[in-house]
Amino acid sequence: MEECACLCSVGSSRGCRCPQKRQRPAEMAAADSKLAPAKKHIEGDVAARCCAGSGGIASPMPAPHCSLQDLPVEMLVEIFTWVPGTHLPSLAQTCTKFHHILHIDSIWRRRCQEEFGIRENLQNLEMIGMSYREVYAKLFPYRNILGLWQLDNEYYRTLVNVVVDGLCITGWKYRPSLHTHVGGPIRFQPSFRIRLTERKSAAVECMEGLDSRPHKRHVQIQKDRFTTRCKNTDHGTDLPTWLREEGGLVLEDRQQYNWLTYRRLYLPPSHPDDLIRPGLFQYYYDSFGLKIAMLSFHGKYARVTKITGISKKTLEIHLMRRIQLPDGEIFCNFKELSRVVQEIDKQVIREQQQQQQEDGTEESEGHGWQSPAQPSAGESGAAASEEQPVPFVLPVGVRSSDQNYPGTCRMCFYGVDTITLPGLAYHGRFPGVFILFDENHFGFIWLEAKYFFLCGRVQNTFQNVEAPSPQAFLEMLKNIQSMP
């Protein structure tokens, strides 16, 4: 009776084999009053036996045995659907009952949905003679390839989003556009496909080339990078030779193989005190279309790290050095705006030199790399949302590739944009003004070049992009900047 009560407390009494019948409250109370003397006598007898066996000291009775194997099959199926797929093979070796239960396809269907985002209809799988258990087994070797990646190439950088599309894993490569506003969704085109419907093993196909016909491709997967190899050499486009295929053409061994290596990208973690929500933004920087950059917050600083394109570009915003905006009049006077920024810039350089003399290291090497899990210093997101917007107009003489910018802004900060060109001994430092328009838009004015670019939040959603830790995200940012 006690063992049955223990099982009943787990969930539904459907699997209970106890012969008890349902009673009304009045009948239960009457029954309890009749059984009370007998119950007290039994309890007293049990207590006496326990005390006698332990020298007069009462010892607790052993807990009733309740095994997971005693639960109904329906309940075990529901429990097993929440167990990670990596643990299910070990669970199947526990006993014959679990082994048979883990062949039920609804368990593996939930695992495919939760771990890989697959939404394929079971009826479609039955038509091709596959089960969710087989689909999971085919997906599992490619689990580390899902997510965002950056092309690891010294000539050009692009973005690839690897997702599960039905019964395929598709790598969607970012395609810059000259006719898309910074607020619109970014465009992707298929780069490669891993077909999971093959009976023996998954087939990897390249989707690129002049004829766009799928052909064989090899993939080597590691934890934080993967490499693809393709024999075709017709992946060129009408772009200039040094930009062909956005980084996959200009390689020494291209006559034989097309090697491409990608590094994993994580999206920045957010904190309630961040000025705005961090993430991916797009902007016009040159005549080759939209570029993608990542906004992240690091204590007293915010960073905008360029993800796609040729040059290495990092914009550092000093959140403790706000530029006041009395009714937006400062934008009408470019000389006054330049004077304010130059004074702040001289002060920043003096402080960095002083810090370098005190500790013997360059302050710029680490001051912007505070963990994004820490709250931002300076102005907070709540303060930015409460700030009254002021009119914004481009100062006279300042050029821009995007004239469709917001008419009001909320805050301005001092910032420094640094640019490095690969293969060239060029390193440019451009102080300017970081302009916060709203939650989804910000901009920057290069004072020396008299140029303005507008950044708009990428509206696409991505999966498998969370960094395992703040340290892993910082390491990824450093790797982006250290890439050749």
Side-chain angles (χ1 to χ4, degrees):
M1 297 287 287
E2 293 178 355
E3 182 176 356
C4 182
C6 179
L7 286 174
C8 291
S9 66
V10 176
S12 172
S13 61
R14 176 176 52 186
C16 175
R17 296 182 295 272
C18 178
Q20 294 175 342
K21 297 182 180 179
R22 288 185 174 271
Q23 295 176 317
R24 293 189 177 92
E27 295 175 350
M28 293 177 63
D32 289 343
S33 62
K34 294 179 181 180
L35 293 175
K39 181 178 180 181
K40 291 181 179 179
H41 175 72
I42 294 174
E43 291 178 350
D45 187 48
V46 171
R49 289 200 304 269
C50 292
C51 293
S54 57
I57 302 176
S59 60
M61 291 291 292
H65 175 69
C66 180
S67 173
L68 189 65
Q69 301 179 18
D70 297 331
L71 295 177
V73 172
E74 297 85 354
M75 189 178 295
L76 290 174
V77 169
E78 180 63 24
I79 293 174
F80 292 167
T81 56
W82 295 99
V83 177
T86 53
H87 300 325
L88 292 180
S90 300
L91 194 61
Q93 298 177 1
T94 304
C95 62
T96 304
K97 182 177 180 179
F98 288 1
H99 178 80
H100 290 307
I101 291 176
L102 287 171
H103 278 75
I104 298 176
D105 221 29
S106 61
I107 298 175
W108 297 100
R109 180 180 185 178
R110 173 72 67 84
R111 289 297 90 218
C112 288
Q113 292 174 345
E114 295 292 332
E115 298 181 26
F116 303 114
I118 190 170
R119 294 292 184 267
E120 191 66 22
N121 193 308
L122 181 61
Q123 195 172 17
N124 296 339
L125 290 180
E126 292 177 349
M127 291 176 61
I128 61 176
M130 289 187 66
S131 64
Y132 275 103
R133 184 165 171 263
E134 292 175 303
V135 171
Y136 187 94
K138 289 179 178 293
L139 282 169
F140 186 76
Y142 298 97
R143 66 193 183 282
N144 291 328
I145 203 176
L146 301 178
L148 278 178
W149 302 83
Q150 182 193 40
L151 177 66
D152 184 358
N153 187 279
E154 63 177 309
Y155 297 101
Y156 198 76
R157 302 177 180 188
T158 189
L159 194 69
V160 168
N161 183 29
V162 183
V163 298
V164 177
D165 291 330
L167 294 178
C168 295
I169 296 176
T170 306
W172 295 90
K173 187 169 68 172
Y174 168 66
R175 297 294 295 179
S177 173
L178 297 174
H179 308 289
T180 303
H181 183 256
V182 294
I186 59 178
R187 296 173 52 196
F188 288 89
Q189 74 172 22
S191 175
F192 64 87
R193 178 176 61 191
I194 304 175
R195 297 175 56 186
L196 306 173
T197 55
E198 303 295 328
R199 297 301 303 176
K200 294 183 178 180
S201 61
V204 183
E205 297 177 338
C206 180
M207 307 294 291
E208 299 184 87
L210 295 180
D211 55 7
S212 299
R213 289 180 297 181
H215 47 275
K216 191 174 182 180
R217 195 166 189 170
H218 299 279
V219 177
Q220 296 178 354
I221 304 173
Q222 299 177 3
K223 183 178 181 181
D224 294 321
R225 68 174 58 196
F226 74 92
T227 303
T228 63
R229 187 184 67 178
C230 176
K231 285 188 176 183
N232 278 28
T233 58
D234 62 345
H235 288 187
T237 65
D238 55 357
L239 293 175
T241 302
W242 52 282
L243 280 178
R244 284 188 186 174
E245 208 42 32
E246 300 175 358
L249 179 62
V250 190
L251 295 174
E252 295 179 358
D253 58 350
R254 177 161 174 79
Q255 286 75 17
Q256 297 180 1
Y257 293 100
N258 182 13
W259 288 88
L260 294 176
T261 301
Y262 294 85
R263 293 192 184 190
R264 180 176 292 280
L265 284 180
Y266 299 117
L267 292 187
S270 61
H271 192 276
D273 290 334
D274 290 340
L275 195 63
I276 60 175
R277 180 167 52 92
L280 295 180
F281 288 76
Q282 54 185 338
Y283 64 100
Y284 279 108
Y285 174 69
D286 50 36
S287 58
F288 292 106
L290 288 170
K291 301 294 184 295
I292 305 297
M294 179 184 296
L295 172 67
S296 57
F297 291 90
H298 310 266
K300 299 179 181 179
Y301 305 90
R303 301 182 76 94
V304 179
T305 306
K306 187 178 179 182
I307 302 298
T308 66
I310 306 172
S311 61
K312 297 179 184 178
K313 176 182 169 64
T314 303
L315 170 60
E316 186 171 80
I317 304 104
H318 294 235
L319 300 178
M320 303 296 292
R321 302 183 187 275
R322 182 177 175 182
I323 299 175
Q324 298 301 323
L325 302 174
D327 299 327
E329 295 179 357
I330 194 170
F331 297 118
C332 300
N333 190 339
F334 184 76
K335 289 185 178 180
E336 177 63 16
L337 182 63
S338 299
R339 184 191 64 80
V340 172
V341 173
Q342 289 173 2
E343 288 184 357
I344 299 177
D345 189 53
K346 292 178 182 178
Q347 183 180 359
V348 169
I349 293 176
R350 286 195 302 267
E351 292 178 358
Q352 289 179 354
Q353 292 175 346
Q354 182 180 358
Q355 182 70 27
Q356 181 180 356
Q357 293 175 357
E358 291 178 356
D359 55 21
T361 59
E362 293 188 11
E363 196 264 348
S364 60
E365 288 182 354
H367 74 274
W369 295 109
Q370 180 174 331
S371 171
Q374 301 294 329
S376 299
E379 303 294 345
S380 65
S385 61
E386 296 174 358
E387 196 77 15
Q388 291 297 322
V390 298
F392 172 79
V393 293
L394 275 183
V396 177
V398 175
R399 299 172 296 107
S400 176
S401 298
D402 195 330
Q403 299 295 328
N404 192 17
Y405 51 81
T408 59
C409 65
R410 295 185 179 275
M411 291 180 174
C412 285
F413 299 88
Y414 161 83
V416 178
D417 199 9
T418 57
I419 299 177
T420 303
L421 294 178
L424 300 175
Y426 176 81
H427 180 80
R429 181 182 183 276
F430 302 93
V433 182
F434 173 85
I435 305 166
L436 177 63
F437 294 104
D438 51 46
E439 175 68 19
N440 297 318
H441 296 89
F442 65 84
F444 187 76
I445 297 178
W446 283 352
L447 294 183
E448 182 178 345
K450 292 187 177 181
Y451 188 82
F452 167 80
F453 58 87
L454 174 69
C455 297
R457 185 180 299 278
V458 171
Q459 300 299 330
N460 306 61
T461 58
F462 303 98
Q463 297 179 339
N464 303 293
V465 291
E466 297 80 13
S469 66
Q471 291 73 22
F473 176 78
L474 292 180
E475 194 66 28
M476 180 210 70
L477 279 185
K478 292 182 180 180
N479 288 337
I480 292 177
Q481 291 303 109
S482 63
M483 287 169 59

